[in-house]
């Protein structure tokens, strides 16, 4: 009795592993082609005894080899779907075999579209009609034209119709993938714009102070040996500020820089009002970081809290901002919502904001991770703490 739960658990794990393997295999085009060819061959193998007994000079072995060669052409159905189609017509005229024609018409419509599918059906029906009127067509396949039409035409039309529907689904999936990629690129560009805006605000402020301070020192040293040097330093600071304005400034609508660590409590308050309580811990040293580092912390925490409220509402979000041994680490985690599989294929958040967070952290020379870990969804950023501001 004690062994039964363990056996049930092992069986469940084996079934889950089999499902994951099946999903991965189904995403591989070559595996799908192999399965399709194997399915077609299995169906055609049912006709081998009849083909061996018919008057076509084939034995059981040679009939099996011919059908295997015909089914093998389906391995080319994505790159050259006309090849299995033409082979299917040959088998139709020689051995009166209709099975391969169904798979070939489906493949033709799926991978070459509606027009190719329609042309394939017309060619298939026309060829079969010619063969029907020639001597030697087996009687049991159709004694009259109506019986012929009720057998051959539906097979071709249905196979091509299913192929056209699959082609439409492929187009929709491709469009969705392209749209997701475009949204990710746009998120990265927006994050780069925010980084450039912050660089302008923070670095520009320091350059302005440097220029003013140099001018003051130049006046104090007027007539002295270093007066020209201070004037040159002041002009260099002003020139650098102008170049910064011309090259990287891309301000947002409001033109305000991204807040820093001091704004995290406000994010926590808003998250709690939205139904996602937050356990926040921030090292005191984080408040002395440079504005750019603090802006990165704020950006990561803000996006994580937004994702948690969207994908795991009501769950407690843990936020840790630590500064240790010259490294700044930001870790945000929340439990996976009930019913979500604990695996990389179904994260709590897979939005474009993740790409934006990663872009900001990587720009500052850090590393970034986002994904399921130990039953929770975690976002972890690790970057140099630099010198305190």
């Amino acid at each position: 009795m004690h062994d039964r739960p363990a056996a049930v658990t092992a069986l469940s794990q084996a079934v889950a592993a089999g499902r994951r393997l099946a999903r991965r295999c189904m995403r591989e085009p070559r595996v799908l082609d192999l399965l399709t060819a194997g399915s077609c061959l299995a169906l055609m193998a049912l006709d081998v005894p009849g083909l061996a007994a018919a008057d076509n000079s084939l034995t059981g072995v040679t009939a099996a080899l011919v059908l295997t060669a015909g089914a093998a052409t389906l391995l080319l159905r994505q790159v050259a779907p006309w090849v299995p189609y033409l082979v299917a017509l040959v088998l139709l005229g020689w051995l009166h075999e209709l099975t391969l024609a169904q798979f070939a018409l489906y493949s033709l419509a799926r991978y070459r579209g509606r027009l190719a599918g329609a042309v394939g059906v017309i060619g298939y029906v026309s060829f079969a009609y010619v063969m029907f009127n020639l001597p030697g067509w087996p009687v049991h396949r159709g004694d009259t034209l109506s019986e012929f039409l009720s057998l051959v035409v539906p097979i071709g039309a249905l196979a091509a119709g299913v192929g056209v529907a699959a082609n439409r689904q492929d187009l929709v999936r491709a469009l969705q993938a392209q749209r997701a990629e475009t949204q990710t690129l746009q998120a990265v560009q927006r994050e780069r714009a925010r980084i450039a805006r912050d660089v302008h605000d923070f670095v520009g402020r320091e350059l302005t102070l440097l220029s003013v301070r140099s001018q003051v020192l130049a006046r104090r040293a007027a007539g002295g040996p270093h007066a020209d040097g201070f004037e040159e330093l002041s002009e260099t600071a002003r020139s650098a500020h102008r170049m910064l304005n011309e090259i990287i400034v891309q301000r947002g609508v409001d033109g305000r820089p991204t807040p820093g660590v001091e704004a995290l409590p406000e994010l926590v308050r808003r998250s709690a009002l939205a139904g996602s309580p937050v356990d926040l811990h921030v090292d005191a040293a984080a408040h002395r970081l440079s504005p750019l580092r603090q802006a990165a912390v704020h950006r990561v925490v803000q996006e994580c809290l937004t994702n948690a409220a969207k994908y795991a509402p009501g769950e407690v979000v843990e936020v840790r901002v630590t500064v240790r041994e010259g490294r700044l680490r930001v870790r945000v985690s929340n439990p996976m919502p009930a019913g979500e599989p604990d695996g990389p294929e179904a994260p709590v958040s897979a939005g474009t904001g993740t790409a934006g967070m990663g872009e900001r952290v990587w720009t500052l020379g850090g590393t970034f991770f986002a994904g399921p870990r130990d039953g929770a969804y975690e976002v972890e950023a690790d970057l140099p703490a630099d010198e305190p501001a």
Side-chain angles (χ1 to χ4, degrees):
M1 294 182 64
H2 294 288
D3 294 336
R4 184 176 180 79
V8 172
T9 300
L11 180 60
S12 301
Q13 292 176 347
V15 170
R19 289 177 178 175
R20 288 193 296 268
L21 180 61
R23 284 198 297 267
R24 293 191 185 98
C25 291
M26 293 302 290
R27 288 195 293 265
E28 293 293 333
R30 290 301 178 188
V31 174
L32 287 176
D33 292 343
L34 187 60
L35 291 175
T36 301
S39 301
C40 179
L41 179 60
L43 291 174
M44 290 193 298
L46 301 175
D47 293 336
V48 169
L51 294 177
D55 186 16
N56 52 27
S57 69
L58 291 178
T59 64
V61 175
T62 54
L65 292 176
V66 169
L67 295 183
T68 301
T73 61
L74 289 173
L75 298 176
L76 304 174
R77 67 191 190 115
Q78 295 191 40
V79 295
W82 290 103
V83 173
Y85 173 77
L86 295 176
V87 173
L89 294 184
V90 172
L91 293 183
L92 176 64
W94 177 25
L95 304 176
H96 315 106
E97 177 58 58
L98 296 175
T99 304
L100 181 59
Q102 300 175 53
F103 285 84
L105 286 171
Y106 167 82
S107 302
L108 187 61
R110 178 171 184 178
Y111 298 111
R112 289 298 181 268
R114 181 173 56 184
L115 179 59
V119 172
V121 170
I122 293 174
Y124 158 76
V125 173
S126 300
F127 181 80
Y129 180 71
V130 171
M131 296 304 302
F132 173 80
N133 288 283
L134 291 178
W137 184 274
V139 177
H140 68 278
R141 290 298 178 95
D143 295 321
T144 66
L145 181 61
S146 61
E147 292 181 359
F148 164 78
L149 294 176
S150 66
L151 174 67
V152 175
V153 175
I155 288 178
L158 181 61
V162 175
V164 170
N167 177 263
R168 295 293 179 87
Q169 290 296 323
D170 290 342
L171 292 177
V172 170
R173 283 192 290 267
L175 180 60
Q176 291 174 342
Q178 184 178 12
R179 183 179 301 171
E181 182 180 358
T182 300
Q183 291 175 347
T184 301
L185 291 176
Q186 289 175 348
V188 171
Q189 292 299 326
R190 286 194 299 269
E191 190 62 28
R192 288 177 177 175
R194 294 191 187 101
I195 294 172
R197 182 194 68 193
D198 292 341
V199 169
H200 171 270
D201 290 328
F202 300 137
V203 179
R205 180 189 64 186
E206 300 300 325
L207 289 175
T208 300
L209 292 177
L210 176 61
S211 177
V212 173
R213 183 63 176 165
S214 299
Q215 290 176 356
V216 172
L217 293 176
R219 290 191 181 96
R220 290 180 179 178
H226 303 295
D228 293 339
F230 286 123
E231 286 290 350
E232 183 179 354
L233 179 60
S234 177
E235 179 58 31
T236 301
R238 287 194 297 270
S239 176
H241 198 183
R242 286 194 299 269
M243 293 176 62
L244 187 66
N245 285 332
E246 294 173 358
I247 297 174
I248 66 171
V249 58
Q250 298 182 33
R251 289 184 174 273
V253 177
D254 56 4
R256 293 177 296 180
T258 303
V261 175
E262 76 284 350
L264 293 184
E266 177 62 19
L267 291 180
V268 170
R269 186 185 69 83
R270 292 181 181 180
S271 179
L273 291 176
S276 295
V278 179
D279 179 14
L280 174 66
H281 170 78
V282 181
D283 283 356
H287 293 272
R288 299 191 297 271
L289 294 170
S290 67
L292 282 177
R293 259 61 179 180
Q294 294 194 37
V297 172
H298 185 278
R299 176 75 178 94
V300 170
V301 175
Q302 181 185 45
E303 184 63 32
C304 289
L305 294 183
T306 300
N307 288 339
K310 185 185 303 182
Y311 297 99
E315 302 289 352
V316 178
V317 184
E318 184 180 279
V319 179
R320 296 289 182 266
V321 181
T322 58
V323 180
R324 297 286 189 277
E325 299 177 352
R327 304 295 299 182
L328 167 63
R329 292 182 176 86
V330 182
R331 179 180 174 273
V332 184
S333 66
N334 58 266
M336 300 282 284
E340 289 287 343
D342 184 10
E345 297 178 0
V348 176
S349 171
T352 56
T354 302
M357 288 188 289
E359 180 67 23
R360 180 175 284 261
V361 173
W362 295 325
T363 301
L364 295 177
T367 59
F368 181 80
F369 167 82
R373 179 186 288 170
D374 298 331
Y377 189 80
E378 289 191 5
V379 173
E380 191 171 83
D382 187 316
L383 57 155
D386 75 2
E387 294 298 329

